[in-house]
Amino acid sequence: MKKTNKKASKKKALLLVLVCVLVMCSALLGISIWENQQNFVGEQPTEDVTVENTDGVEYKLNENIETVLVMGLDKFSEDVDSSSYDNDQQADFLMLFVLDNQNKTCKAIHINRDTMVKMNVLGVAGKEIGTTTQQIALAHTYGNGQNVSCRNTAKAVSNLLDGINVTHYVSVTMDAVPVFNDLVGGVTVEVLDDFTGIDDTLVKGETVTLMGDKALTYVRNRYGLEDSTNKNRMIRQKQYIEELYRITREKAENDENFVLSAWKALSQYTVSDCYEQDLLQIYEKVSGYEYLGTVSIEGKSIVGESFMEFYPDEVKLEELVLEMFYVPEE
């Protein structure tokens, strides 16, 4: 019995670590549905809904699809007061993982934090008092900076994707990035931007092993760079994601104590609607799924009245939703 429990604990820890890696710019996992209807955070279309593409082919919602939204927040954990609804914590990193349970595959949609989208405005105690159109990163500023804010962000993502349900969510504060980065021994990348004046050791074109706060600088900074758009930063995040995930898998496979120590170090930085037993079921379910990569929503960035604004190409977005969440009618 002790041997079985130890094995289960290891599996739990491995999944928890991988979820954390996802949140702070890492890679693959899907999430299953266990909650009942009132816990859904999106307005999922019914299975009877059909859409038609430009060629006249009808599609229906793929009932085998489940999703998880991962959010990297722009504040440190010590700056968050969960008892207050005066919250300025933005979701700077947004990625939606799409799990196909029939084909046993997982894809990811990297969402530009500047994407302009309709979202709910929340008042005292998280009550909806209206709507507004803003950068999607700001959806997290409504609520208490914890689960209420995560749910509001998930609803904004659902609005962006024409009502597709966000099944589960995980968020992490940015101070987890250097913690986990150093646990894996650093992440080696070819520097894609000139960080002169921000960190002179990050020279464009050179290969550098990122350690400590240098990792956070590389995946977070955009202002002060030659190209300060979030689109360019997303390219760096994707690069970092792929290498961090590769190293994490190696560490987990070669060191049986790594996953446990990593989860202990990271758990204080995360917020999720998933319980531990749910995560164990997820691990059992998706450990053999094939990861098919990450896509970004196409569109254009413009300078708004105060900040950058990203507007998706509506035609391309519709095609993406159709491809990721629908199947042809038989």
Side-chain angles (χ1 to χ4, degrees):
M1 180 62 70
K2 290 183 178 180
K3 184 176 181 180
T4 301
N5 288 339
K6 183 178 180 180
K7 182 178 180 181
S9 296
K10 184 178 179 181
K11 286 182 177 179
K12 292 178 187 177
L14 176 58
L15 184 71
L16 291 167
V17 169
L18 293 181
V19 169
C20 288
V21 175
L22 286 177
V23 176
M24 59 187 183
C25 307
S26 182
L28 90 110
L29 275 187
I31 299 290
S32 295
I33 300 174
W34 289 285
E35 69 271 67
N36 55 32
Q37 188 62 39
Q38 71 253 23
N39 289 330
F40 283 0
V41 293
E43 298 296 331
Q44 180 76 350
T46 67
E47 295 174 11
D48 295 331
V49 169
T50 60
V51 297
E52 189 175 294
N53 70 359
T54 54
D55 297 323
V57 178
E58 288 192 341
Y59 288 75
K60 66 178 181 179
L61 192 68
N62 187 348
E63 59 187 36
N64 297 300
I65 293 295
E66 300 171 7
T67 61
V68 58
L69 176 66
V70 294
M71 293 165 273
L73 308 181
D74 72 339
K75 297 290 182 180
F76 293 99
S77 57
E78 62 187 20
D79 295 333
V80 180
D81 180 4
S82 61
S83 64
S84 172
Y85 278 75
D86 183 17
N87 160 42
D88 63 352
Q89 203 175 28
Q90 300 181 27
D92 263 0
F93 176 81
L94 292 159
M95 188 171 285
L96 185 71
F97 287 81
V98 182
L99 180 67
D100 187 327
N101 293 318
Q102 181 175 21
N103 295 316
K104 301 189 184 315
T105 60
C106 180
K107 298 179 183 179
I109 303 174
H110 197 178
I111 300 171
N112 192 326
R113 57 93 64 210
D114 295 332
T115 302
M116 300 298 289
V117 67
K118 183 179 179 181
M119 66 188 67
N120 290 326
V121 176
L122 306 182
V124 177
K127 183 179 180 181
E128 296 177 9
I129 59 175
T131 61
T132 183
T133 297
Q134 294 179 294
Q135 295 170 317
I136 198 168
L138 298 177
H140 194 275
T141 64
Y142 296 102
N144 61 354
Q146 302 283 313
N147 286 286
V148 175
S149 296
C150 288
R151 286 194 294 268
N152 200 54
T153 305
K155 287 181 180 179
V157 171
S158 178
N159 290 341
L160 173 67
L161 300 177
D162 197 26
I164 294 298
N165 181 58
V166 176
T167 313
H168 282 280
Y169 57 80
V170 187
S171 74
V172 70
T173 50
M174 65 182 180
D175 34 358
V177 176
V179 172
F180 192 84
N181 181 90
D182 289 4
L183 279 173
V184 302
V187 175
T188 301
V189 298
E190 179 183 336
V191 181
L192 300 180
D193 288 294
D194 182 4
F195 283 79
T196 301
I198 299 174
D199 187 330
D200 292 341
T201 66
L202 296 176
V203 179
K204 185 175 181 178
E206 291 192 359
T207 299
V208 175
T209 298
L210 303 171
M211 297 295 297
D213 290 338
K214 198 179 299 290
L216 184 58
T217 297
Y218 189 72
V219 300
R220 184 185 182 222
N221 277 65
R222 58 170 170 157
Y223 297 116
L225 300 180
E226 182 178 358
D227 186 339
S228 61
T229 65
N230 189 55
K231 183 177 180 180
N232 209 47
R233 178 172 61 176
M234 287 169 65
I235 296 174
R236 278 184 275 123
Q237 289 175 343
K238 181 179 179 181
Q239 174 201 33
Y240 183 84
I241 282 170
E242 294 173 351
E243 182 62 13
L244 178 60
Y245 180 69
R246 185 189 66 79
I247 298 171
T248 300
R249 288 303 298 260
E250 287 184 359
K251 290 284 186 180
E253 291 170 0
N254 298 326
D255 181 0
E256 62 179 13
N257 297 316
F258 171 76
V259 291
L260 291 172
S261 59
W263 174 241
K264 288 179 181 178
L266 294 174
S267 59
Q268 62 180 304
Y269 305 113
T270 64
V271 173
S272 177
D273 63 335
C274 297
Y275 293 103
E276 189 173 336
Q277 61 267 28
D278 297 335
L279 293 175
L280 179 57
Q281 292 179 55
I282 298 166
Y283 177 85
E284 297 288 353
K285 183 176 182 179
V286 306
S287 58
Y289 280 26
E290 180 184 6
Y291 183 60
L292 299 180
T294 304
V295 298
S296 298
I297 298 172
E298 296 185 37
K300 63 179 180 180
S301 295
I302 66 171
V303 180
E305 292 184 5
S306 302
F307 304 101
M308 293 297 297
E309 299 176 356
F310 178 79
Y311 291 90
D313 181 312
E314 294 298 334
V315 174
K316 295 292 186 181
L317 180 56
E318 183 177 334
E319 291 175 353
L320 178 63
V321 171
L322 197 64
E323 175 189 350
M324 300 282 274
F325 302 103
Y326 287 82
V327 292
E329 278 274 29
E330 296 179 356

